[in-house]
Amino acid sequence: DTEVTQTPKHLVMGMTNKKSLKCEQHMGHRAMYWYKQKAKKPPELMFVYSYEKLSINESVPSRFSPECPNSSLLNLHLHALQPEDSALYLCASSLQVISTDTQYFGPGTRLTVL
Amino acid sequence: AQSVSQHNHHVILSEAASLELGCNYSYGGTVNLFWYVQYPGQHLQLLLKYFSGDPLVKGIKGFEAEFIKSKFSFNLRKPSVQWSDTAEYFCAVAGNTGGFKTIFGAGTRLFVKA
């Protein structure tokens, strides 16, 4: 199983809502990532988890709150988002957080903030 | 600062034409280089990567890339493109500096005319 799954595929939320994005992998990977991709732009790293601990936070606003409850699951909790946060949110995983490792990406959650 | 530059944002080719997509990087340490591809409606996936050894790397679907250290380049090539190669191609760099994070270039959208 070389698949990273993400739910939901699409999400529309208001600025006062609280929602969560979910990511799952069963490849035994110990590194998991959240990226944000705006239209016609490259993915931009948000967070990196290594062995279920937050390893990198790329100065992401606190309205985005990641959580890694176990080695297979990664969540992104959303609260009080702004319309400019509308984007495709990609989850990825790799064997470990080392620079030679291939990252396996999920299909993304397309988020629209009204 | 670490950066990746892809020279062409849009490329249109006819089937059987040769392809070369340029990628230059700026990085202060040992680098590992990747090309990822995103086919229409599909998620990002690895095309090929270089981290040591032979600077000419072969990937899936007949693609290859050459790492030229003196030019800080990692150009992607394919001798004869097919309609199914229509996709967006991202060059990426990762290294030991900056916590092993991966930096993506802006991407090149390739359209192959049948």
Side-chain angles (χ1 to χ4, degrees):
Chain A
D1 183 4
T2 57
E3 193 179 12
V4 175
T5 59
Q6 289 187 244
T7 53
K9 289 186 178 178
H10 300 274
L11 179 62
V12 180
M13 60 186 290
M15 290 190 286
T16 58
N17 292 158
K18 284 186 181 180
K19 297 286 184 184
S20 297
L21 310 184
K22 181 180 170 182
C23 172
E24 198 164 0
Q25 57 87 14
H26 296 286
M27 294 180 277
H29 289 175
R30 304 313 299 266
M32 296 187 78
Y33 310 77
W34 280 115
Y35 286 87
K36 175 181 178 179
Q37 188 177 22
K38 301 281 274 185
K40 299 183 181 181
K41 297 288 185 184
E44 292 181 0
L45 184 66
M46 299 174 72
F47 302 103
V48 180
Y49 272 82
S50 176
Y51 289 85
E52 297 138 61
K53 291 191 180 340
L54 185 63
S55 174
I56 294 176
N57 176 342
E58 286 290 293
S59 303
V60 179
S62 60
R63 56 186 185 269
F64 295 91
S65 175
E67 179 198 18
C68 190
N70 60 56
S71 60
S72 300
L73 276 176
L74 185 66
N75 298 320
L76 186 63
H77 303 297
L78 314 172
H79 174 55
L81 294 194
Q82 304 296 311
E84 59 264 29
D85 296 322
S86 298
L88 182 68
Y89 287 84
L90 296 170
C91 174
S93 71
S94 64
L95 203 58
Q96 295 183 67
V97 181
I98 58 174
S99 55
T100 55
D101 270 358
T102 300
Q103 292 183 34
Y104 293 82
F105 285 84
T109 293
R110 190 160 297 281
L111 174 68
T112 303
V113 181
L114 301 176
Chain B
Q2 303 148 15
S3 65
V4 179
S5 174
Q6 291 183 240
H7 313 306
N8 314 98
H9 295 296
H10 293 91
V11 173
I12 300 174
L13 294 173
S14 297
E15 274 196 314
S18 64
L19 169 73
E20 180 159 3
L21 301 182
C23 173
N24 285 93
Y25 65 91
S26 172
Y27 201 87
T30 303
V31 293
N32 303 287
L33 296 154
F34 305 79
W35 277 97
Y36 284 88
V37 61
Q38 191 165 28
Y39 296 102
Q42 295 187 31
H43 48 93
L44 269 171
Q45 57 187 285
L46 183 72
L47 203 53
L48 49 79
K49 68 179 181 181
Y50 169 83
F51 55 92
S52 67
D54 189 344
L56 185 61
V57 180
K58 295 193 185 299
I60 60 171
K61 303 187 180 185
F63 285 89
E64 64 178 32
E66 186 175 12
F67 171 53
I68 302 179
K69 189 175 181 180
S70 60
K71 294 186 178 180
F72 300 93
S73 70
F74 190 55
N75 292 353
L76 181 70
R77 299 193 293 247
K78 186 171 183 178
S80 175
V81 294
Q82 300 173 319
W83 175 80
S84 57
D85 293 324
T86 294
E88 186 154 22
Y89 294 81
F90 292 95
C91 181
V93 61
N96 296 348
T97 305
F100 307 104
K101 68 180 185 183
T102 301
I103 299 169
F104 287 83
T108 297
R109 285 178 180 262
L110 171 67
F111 180 72
V112 180
K113 297 183 290 184

